[in-house]
Each structure stands twice: as C-alpha cells, then as structure tokens.
Amino acid sequence: MSLSRRSLFASVSALAAAAALPRFAFAADAPKAGGAVSVHLAAEQRILNPALRASTGVYIVTSKIIESLVDLGADGKPVPVLATSWEAAPDGKTITFKLREGVTWHDGKPFTSADVQYNALELWKKHLNYGTQLHLSLEAVDTPDAHTAIFRYSRPMPEGLLLRALADLGYVVPRHLFEGTNPLENPANTAPVGTGPFRFVEYQRGQYIIAERNPTYWRKGFPYADRIVWRIISDKSAAVAALETGQVQLSAYNQLALADIDRLRKDARFEVSARGNEANAFNNTLEFNHRRKELADVQVRRAIAHAIDIDFFAENFLYGTGKRATGFIPSNSTAFYPGGSFPYPYDTKTAEKLLDQAGYKRGSDGTRFSLKLLLVPNGEDVGQFATFIQQSLADVGIAVEIVQLDMAAALSTIYKEWNFDLATGWHQYRGDPAVSTTVWFRSGSPKGSPWTNQHGWQSDSIDTLIDTAASEVDPVKRRALYAQLVDDINRDLPIWFATERQFVSVTRKTLKNHHNTPRWPSSSWYDLSL
C-alpha cells in the first residue's frame, strides 16, 4: 500500500468525519465505532520493536500493534493482557504465567508460550536495554503446555517488581518471524506483527506510520477506531498548527514546545494535562564520563551540581512542569520514595571551592578545563538545559562545548563509542527502581545499550546493594534498601538526576476514553474512540 501525503491527509479527514456514522448503534453518550485517530510523532523511529527497545517513541506507536503480558489498570495495579494470571513460588525464584488462549498473530498464526519463552530468553534478556538487567538471573522459561510459561530465576524475583516491569518490558513479538535471524536486523522491526487491536499497514520514512483495525482482535467489539495515523512532524510550530487545525488530535510525551503547551491550557478545544501519565515520571539527567580524569573526581562532579540553579531553570524554562529532584526516586513513587532534601543546592562559592580543592585552579583566561557535552534530543528542554549547563559552568571556570546529533547518532556516540565528557537527556522512572533506574548505576550492561551505565564508573558495594534490593521479596526491606541506595548515589554522584517531572499530553476533546490508565500514551488504545 502506498499513499501520497495529500491523499493520506484527505483520507484521515474523511475517516474522522465518518466517525459520526458508526458501524453499530450506540446511545448518544456511548463510544462510537469508526473513524481515524491522527497522532503527532516528533521524531523518526528507526525501530518499532518494544521487545528490543524500551522507549516512549517506540511505545506510542507499537503498543497498539504489539501487546505485553500485563499492563497497568486505572488504579495503577497490573492487569492481564496476554497473560491472564500469575503465581510466584514462596522463594521468589519461580513465577508461573497462564497465557490467554485463542489469540492469533496478525499473520494468522497462534500465540503460544513458545513466543514468550523466545522473547524472554533471546530478546529481553540479551538485547532489551532495561530487560538485560532485569533478567540478569533468569535461567530458563519452561513451557509445559502452549499456554503456560514458567520463569525460573537463580535469585528471588519479587512478583511486584516483575509485574510492574512487564508493563513496559514485557512486549511479545512472534517467535516464528525472529528465530534463526539476527533480531537486530529483522525486517519485522520496522514492519511489526503483533496481537494487538491494530495491524501495521505502512511506514513512510519522515512522513507517517499507519495501522488499521484488527478485525480478529481477541477483545470482542474492539477496537473502536478504524485506523491510527502517526504524522511525523519534527517542527514544533508545524505540530502545534496541525493540532489547532484538527489535522492532529493528540500530542503526548511533551513533544510540543513548552510555551505552546502552556498556551493551549487556555484553549477550550483541548485537554492539557498530566492525567494518564502518572506512571511516567521523568528527569533531566546529567551524565559524567568517568574516563575523563576531571570527572572521575567526585569533588568535581559535586561542584558541577552546585553550579547549576535548578530552581531557576524549572521556573524560567519548564513553565512550572518540573522541580528539583532529591534523588533518583521521584516523590510520586509512594512505595519507594525515601523523602529528603535537595542534596546539592545552588552555591557557586561552594562549587569554586571544590574545584580549587580538586586541583583545578583557574588559568590566566579564567578557565579551569574544557568539556564536551552531548545531548540526547528527547525534548525541547534538553537543548535548553544543555545551554543552561554551559552558561552555568562558565561562571565557575569550566568551558563547555555542546554537540548536537540526531537521536540514533547521539545514543551510539554516548553509549557505544563512549565519545563524550558530559551528556544530558531524559530518564523515565517506571514505578520500581529495579525496572529501568538502577541500571544507570549497576555495572555489566552490554556495551551500546542505551540509558545504562556506560560511564566507566563501577562500585562493588553499589552493585551488591542493587542486586540485594532487586531480589528482596519483603516490601518493607526493599524500601529500606532503596533508601540506602539513594543516599549512596547522592553521595557518589555517578550521574545526576537534576529535575523531577511528569509528562503532559495535549488532546483534542473530540477523542473519548483517552488517558484513562496511568501509562496511557504507551497503552493499546483499544477503547479509544472519536
């Protein structure tokens, strides 16, 4: 199938209008079947496989096509998707999943436990950027029948941790399309086949991605929408214009200019809110390459943190959508947040003193040393934060050169080539520190795995504490272990979680049943309607 941009947008408009003519008769206030949903996508996606890449840019597209074992319900607790039930052994080393029967892949083949086994052992454990750490102690997945998968670990795996993780890190792709291939180069990575409510149709690079209603979806009567079109619009002015003219109905994950997000709050046509993003707290981060001798000195890292006024940045650049972080666990993580105060308040005198004590005096030109800062272009504020860091560090005698690359090049340069001094981007917290956060500090992640510890920093005591906390099945003891880890990381500062934030979505009110779960932009949208 091939469409021109003009015919595509004409068809989107026609399908949206057709929402007023549903296939079924409903009450006036009931969801209506039919129509097309048009979604803003700010960046090109080089991979559309969430079993290999944990990323909001992947989830917002492919979670409608490929499903996970579980998701989060409206109350934030795990709910069944491809798994219908689960049971953990008392020692925490065995967790048994019963799988949904009668589910077929979009190519007609049956979904079975063999698919789960392959994904867990060959994709999640070996390649998925956060799955490699999560499943470090996964030894086997037994499949006694077609609808039972038994995960066996060498260390205890807390049931709550695994279930919360699988909402993001439990997407399943078909074994029959990946087995025997190089999974990183498989064509299904950009033409995904799943079990979800929508089937992949087409990906035109730089233009759009299309998925259509799956007529054999296992949830009978769903989905409501006939089609989803993701319009790739990298220019923020063009994206907000598309929203205001109705060509696009949704922009999630802070993909618009913050000034426009703030302005659209006053427009009655839109809901502008963090609702439905409660499970998606995130941070602005500053990463240090410890291979650089200056940055290997903790006094220098602390000085850098003291030199940056996060309160000023949040007030003047984030439009009130962020605040200072007190550590790597955000305050809305009620199960794990230890409290505490901001460990490195803005204080240039302290910063200068620490740099002097570290032996890096100002030269005749006022400069102590120079650093190269790479940014990962997650959002508009990342570039602003990079410039703010540059200006702030200049005040204490550190010269910073900013290097801007596209997403793929930035990830490769930082996490595979290690060719950086400082790096800044976003980190997303996924409800449990062991899901995607402690991997930033734990040694042993495969080289090239994005958003993991590729910084040349290693601590035996931190590795042990991380492993102990991840394997502790007692929730009270786990909380205490993570409180200790927060203190240790704040002290050593291997990387810096500078802000605490929550994603905001801009949604036209013509959409119904949206943002009704705590990770909604990354959910399946089976009940979304016009």
Side-chain angles (χ1 to χ4, degrees), residues 71-77 164 253 274-281 428 502 515-523:
D71 201 354
L72 300 184
D75 60 359
K77 297 178 181 178
R164 181 58 187 83
Y253 290 127
R275 182 174 71 90
N277 288 282
E278 294 84 359
N280 288 319
Q428 184 179 342
Q502 211 166 19
H515 293 88
N516 52 13
T517 63
R519 57 183 297 275
W520 185 84
S522 294
S523 68

Side-chain angles (χ1 to χ4, degrees), residues 241-274:
L243 268 168
E244 292 183 293
T245 59
Q247 296 179 56
V248 165
Q249 296 149 311
L250 168 68
S251 182
Y253 290 127
N254 289 45
Q255 295 183 95
L256 299 175
L258 289 169
D260 286 325
I261 291 175
D262 191 57
R263 177 176 59 82
L264 291 176
R265 291 182 189 276
K266 306 174 183 68
D267 191 321
R269 296 173 295 173
F270 300 98
E271 178 182 327
V272 180
S273 174

